[in-house]
Each structure stands twice: as C-alpha cells, then as structure tokens.
Amino acid sequence: MTRGRLPHADGARDRAGAFRASGRELDAAGVTDPALREAYRHCRRLNARHGRTYFLATRLLPVERRPAVHALYGFARKADDIVDALGTDAGPARRDAGLAALQRELDRGLRDGDSREPVVRAVVDTARRYGIDHGHFADFMTAMRSDLVVTDYPDYAALRRYMHGSAAVIGLQMLPVLGTVVPRETAAPHAAALGVAFQLTNFLRDVGEDLDRGRVYLPADLLAAHGVDRALLRWSRDTGRRDRRITSALEEFAALTRGVYREAAPGLRMLEPVSRPCIRAAFVLYGAILDAVARDGYAVVHRRAVVPRRRRAVVAADGLARVLAARLRARDAAVRPADLRAPVPYDATGVPLPEGAV
C-alpha cells in the first residue's frame, strides 16, 4: 500500500485501466466470446501479478498478439503453482493429483476445443489460433511432474534434459505467436535456447528459495568442482554466512548462463520486426538480473537480487522506441539473407548491441 493515498480508489482505478487495456487487446485479437474473454483476462492478471519482467516485455508486442502470450504464461503459472505450493500442507501426492487433473483438462481441451478451467480455455484457444504443437505442452507437463520427485541434477547435461520441457518448449510455444522471417525450424533452436537462458537466470536468482523447497538446480558436478554441496548451501542459508567456495560456484554458473544467452542471440533477428522489441527487452532485462546478482556479490543464497527500476524504465523506453520504428517499417521492410548471416555484436556482458552498433 502507498502511504498517503486512498488504496481502494487507486485499486479501482488500476483495475479499470487494466480492464480497458485487456479489452483492447482482446478486440484486436478477435476474441468475442464472453467466457473466453474472461479466461484471457484471468491469464493477463496472472502475468501482471507474477511475471513482472515478462509482462513488461509483453506490452511491447503488437496488441493483437498479447493475449496469446498471457495465455501461455497463465497456463505455465498454473502448473508451476501446483508444483511449488510452498507453505501449504499439500504433499507430493496431492500435487501429483493436481497436475494429473490439469493434464486431463488440457488433453480434453485440446481434443474438444474448450475447457471449464480458465487457463486451459485460453491456452487451448491460443494453440488453435497459432498452430502450436501439442507435444510442447506434453513435454512441459512431464517436466512439471519430475519436479515432484527430482530434487537435484548430477550434471549440466541432466539439467538441460529437464529444461527441454520446463523452459525450451516455452520458447518454442512462443515462436508461432512472435512470427519469423526465416523458416520456423531455423529459428527454433535459438528460441529454445532463450527459454533455457531465462530459466537458468531464475535458478541463479532463486537459489535460496529453491533450497527452501528442497531443490538444488545448480549441477552437482559444478558445485563439487568448487567444494560445494547441498549441506554447505543449507548451512549458508540457515546461518546467513558467506563462503567463497559458494561464490565461486555461482560465478561459474552465471558464466555458463551467459553462454546460453549467446546461443539464443542470433534468433532475435530471425523474428518478425514487430516482435523483436518485446523479445529484446526480455533478453536485456533477464540479462540484467545476472548483473544484479553480480553487483550483490552473489548473495543469492540469502536474498533475491533485483533489477533497479531505473534500469527497467530505460529498457522499456528503448523498447517503445523500437516498437514505433518497427511499425513504421513493417509494411515495406524486408530482411536480406545477408543480414541474417551477419554476426550479432555483443557488449561485455553478453547482451547484443542495438542494430547498427559497431
């Protein structure tokens, strides 16, 4: 609550503004059924509440494509919330039952074209509109179920296998919504890598919170190379004390993550020009989380690093400028094959420089 203001009035005004914004998005997307509109609005609220970076970037998409992104996020959030019911008495059996129920509802929805569950109703409609491969949803649900029983990973290869379903397929689901200027299969590996890069960033940021959930996503062999194991992480979390071995392991994990961003970066130019500002903003903002972790001395075992609001505002303003430029070029711009082959320049942190930068 903001001191000195009327919270109810402000809340009502915020809700009214959000309602109008979602209405414009749904009108532009051609969503007319009242129940389906409310399902999409439900997903939009989930995105706005829980996915602040993702939601900010989504605002840079063409208005008619935003509901699809909200639907994809809303479904993923629903499954993730079932898995991560921290602070409740829901044990693995109840969580497994919840995922199984969501899986049945999804299968039924993809088969019949509708669902009583709002996030499923919206994501089923999105899958139909954009021709999203149903197998991506199946892979995602498989990864969510594994989180109920798998609490650590022996090496990076094992972690990448898990992240195919938990992260890479999210990038692949997004690709038809974003559109490409190359064959989709050419852009697909980069889209998958971007989903992985985002999740690796979250794993680094959330080391302490994941420990409280009984999970360690940092590969065991990487930790062991620095003399770190789960017991040492737990000791550091519980006592609030730092250990140089942990910092060294986290630095290596951050470097590994930046390498995946470099795998993903060439895909930015393969997207439709009107979609690039959105994904570039997400790329830069998630990369800024790595910077924030480093500035905070890799203290993620104890607290979550946060990207400063000023940095977020600068990225958003840059994104808006790019949106306007893309819209001006949208009708007559054509991407030359040579442009697609040109290497993407990076700054020192692994973030691609603006187009035209040397």
Side-chain angles (χ1 to χ4, degrees), residues 61-351:
L61 273 179
V63 63
E64 71 276 4
R65 304 191 196 190
R66 296 175 198 169
V69 179
H70 297 321
L72 292 170
Y73 180 93
F75 178 78
R77 185 75 205 186
K78 175 74 174 180
D80 199 53
D81 283 348
I82 293 172
V83 172
D84 286 339
L86 188 65
T88 75
D89 60 355
R94 283 185 58 188
R95 297 180 195 187
D96 185 59
L99 284 178
L102 182 63
Q103 179 77 67
R104 288 194 297 272
E105 194 63 28
L106 175 66
D107 292 343
R108 185 182 303 114
L110 291 172
R111 183 185 66 241
D112 300 339
D114 198 8
S115 172
R116 295 165 296 180
E117 165 60 52
V119 298
V120 175
R121 173 177 285 160
V123 85
V124 163
D125 184 67
T126 290
R128 178 187 61 80
R129 287 170 182 265
Y130 289 94
I132 298 173
D133 186 346
H134 294 182
H136 296 330
F137 298 106
D139 290 346
F140 173 75
M141 293 301 292
T142 297
M144 292 301 97
R145 284 193 298 274
S146 77
D147 265 332
L148 299 178
V149 294
V150 179
T151 60
D152 51 44
Y153 295 86
D155 50 39
Y156 184 56
L159 184 64
R160 282 296 290 249
R161 287 193 293 272
Y162 161 74
M163 287 191 296
H164 167 74
S166 65
V169 296
I170 303 298
L172 296 174
Q173 290 170 9
M174 283 282 293
L175 206 52
V177 179
L178 300 172
T180 62
V181 295
V182 298
R184 193 179 296 172
E185 60 270 19
T186 301
H190 304 290
L194 189 58
V196 170
F198 288 169
Q199 186 164 64
L200 288 171
T201 303
N202 287 342
F203 288 162
L204 181 62
R205 181 196 63 191
D206 299 338
V207 167
E209 295 175 17
D210 287 331
L211 264 175
D212 292 341
R213 295 185 177 100
R215 301 192 198 113
V216 176
Y217 287 106
L218 280 62
D221 63 344
L222 183 152
L223 294 174
H226 296 272
V228 180
D229 58 14
R230 180 190 287 262
L232 182 62
L233 292 172
R234 188 70 260 173
W235 168 84
S236 181
R237 176 75 168 171
D238 291 342
T239 64
R241 296 176 64 179
R242 304 286 296 276
D243 189 292
R244 178 58 199 171
R245 292 171 293 177
I246 294 176
T247 302
S248 180
L250 295 175
E251 288 173 339
E252 182 179 345
F253 191 78
L256 180 154
T257 301
R258 291 194 188 280
V260 182
Y261 277 100
R262 287 190 287 274
E263 290 179 37
L268 297 178
R269 291 184 177 181
M270 299 179 185
L271 300 175
E272 288 184 3
V274 293
S275 296
R276 291 175 199 167
C278 164
I279 302 307
R280 184 184 186 279
F283 190 110
V284 173
L285 286 170
Y286 270 90
I289 294 173
L290 297 179
D291 299 334
V293 169
R295 281 196 307 271
D296 199 31
Y298 293 90
V300 289
V301 174
H302 310 116
R303 57 183 176 268
R304 174 184 282 206
V306 177
V307 177
R309 289 185 179 181
R310 179 178 177 83
R311 174 61 170 155
R312 291 165 57 85
V314 167
V315 173
D318 176 72
L320 286 173
R322 290 171 182 272
V323 166
L324 294 174
R327 288 175 180 172
L328 289 174
R329 298 192 303 263
R331 292 185 179 180
D332 57 359
V335 178
R336 293 177 289 111
D339 290 336
L340 297 176
R341 291 195 299 269
V344 178
Y346 300 94
D347 66 16
T349 68
V351 172

